[in-house]
Amino acid sequence: MAKNYYEITLALAGICQAAHLVQQLAHQGQCQPEALNVSLRSVIDLNPGSTLAVFGNDEANLRLGLETLMAVLNSQGMGAELTRYTLSLMVLERKLSGNKSALDTLAQRISQLDRQLAHYELGSETITSAMAAIYVDVVSPLGPRIQVTGSPAVLQNPLLQSRVRATLLAGIRAAVLWQQMGGGRFQLMLSRQRLLREAKTILSRLSPAY
C-alpha cells in the first residue's frame, strides 16, 4: 500500500514540535505557549478522526514542528540536541509499542485525565503533573531514558520538570501516531527529500507568523 506522506509528515512534525518545546523549556524555562497547548492536548484524544485532528485540525498548529522537522532533515542550525530528542522519542515509542501491559496502562491513565480536565485547565499545574507522572511511571522505565540537557537552575525546578516530562509524553503520542501512519526510522534516511518537500508544501499554505 502506498504510504501517505502528508499524514506521516504531520505526525513527524508532532514529534519534532515536542522535541523543540523540551529544548526551549530545558534551556529557557519557558516555551511557545500555543505550541505547548497543541502538543499537550494531542495526548488526550485517543480516538481522533484523522491525523490532523490530533493537532486541533489546523496545520498552523504544527508550524514549530514543521520548521523544526525541516531544520533537522537539513541538519541546519538546530544542533545535535534536537535530533537526539527526536530519535530518542522514536526509540522509546518502539519499546512502548512492544509492551502490551504498558500500552494498556498508558491508555487507562490517559483516560483518567478526562475527569481532571472537567475541573482544571489543560496547562494547569495539576494536569501537567498528572501527565508527567504518566510519563515517569509508564513510559520512562521502558528505557533507554531520554537525557534532557539545559540550564541546571531550570531543570531543578519541579514545575518545569513536570512540563518537560508532560511534553515528552506528547512526543511519544506523536511517535505512536507516526508509526500508525506507516512511519519508520529508515524513512529519515531514505525518504528525506520526500519528507522535506511535504513539510515545505504544508508550510507554504500557512499565513506568515508575526
Side-chain angles (χ1 to χ4, degrees):
M1 191 172 76
K3 292 186 182 296
N4 186 327
Y5 275 88
Y6 173 72
E7 308 275 350
I8 288 170
T9 304
L10 287 178
L12 191 49
I15 305 173
C16 290
Q17 183 149 306
H20 203 151
L21 291 167
V22 164
Q23 186 185 55
Q24 288 178 344
L25 286 166
H27 286 276
Q28 301 157 26
Q30 57 188 8
C31 65
Q32 294 185 20
E34 297 85 1
L36 179 62
N37 193 59
V38 168
S39 290
L40 295 183
R41 191 165 296 283
S42 74
V43 173
I44 298 157
D45 190 352
L46 295 178
N47 296 293
S50 67
T51 303
L52 192 59
V54 175
F55 305 106
N57 265 323
D58 188 347
E59 292 172 342
N61 287 340
L62 284 170
R63 184 193 299 274
L64 176 66
L66 289 161
E67 290 171 347
T68 305
L69 170 58
M70 290 190 68
V72 166
L73 290 175
N74 278 322
S75 303
Q76 285 179 348
M78 288 290 176
E81 200 172 74
L82 272 178
T83 304
R84 177 168 63 82
Y85 290 153
T86 300
L87 293 176
S88 296
L89 285 164
M90 292 173 179
V91 170
L92 199 47
E93 182 277 332
R94 290 286 78 203
K95 298 280 189 185
L96 173 65
S97 292
N99 189 319
K100 187 177 186 307
S101 173
L103 279 171
D104 291 344
T105 304
L106 183 64
Q108 181 188 6
R109 292 279 296 269
I110 289 173
S111 67
Q112 290 168 1
L113 289 172
D114 276 339
R115 286 204 296 275
Q116 291 177 292
L117 283 164
H119 306 285
Y120 299 97
E121 293 292 320
L122 178 66
S124 68
E125 189 173 340
T126 300
I127 299 298
T128 304
S129 296
M131 285 187 175
I134 294 172
Y135 179 80
V136 169
D137 296 345
V138 183
V139 182
S140 186
L142 299 172
R145 295 196 172 189
I146 298 175
Q147 299 297 323
V148 175
T149 51
S151 160
V154 167
L155 292 173
Q156 286 162 12
N157 179 319
L159 177 57
L160 278 157
Q161 287 175 7
S162 290
R163 279 199 183 139
V164 165
R165 287 167 177 153
T167 307
L168 288 170
L169 183 65
I172 293 292
R173 168 70 182 105
V176 169
L177 185 66
W178 183 57
Q179 287 285 342
Q180 289 171 339
M181 292 302 108
R185 275 185 293 163
F186 281 124
Q187 280 172 341
L188 295 180
M189 295 179 287
L190 303 178
S191 304
R192 181 180 296 241
Q193 292 307 315
R194 183 76 184 270
L195 292 165
L196 273 170
R197 278 201 308 274
E198 196 68 55
K200 193 172 183 179
T201 300
I202 299 168
L203 279 168
S204 73
R205 292 198 286 264
L206 306 183
S207 56
Y210 295 102

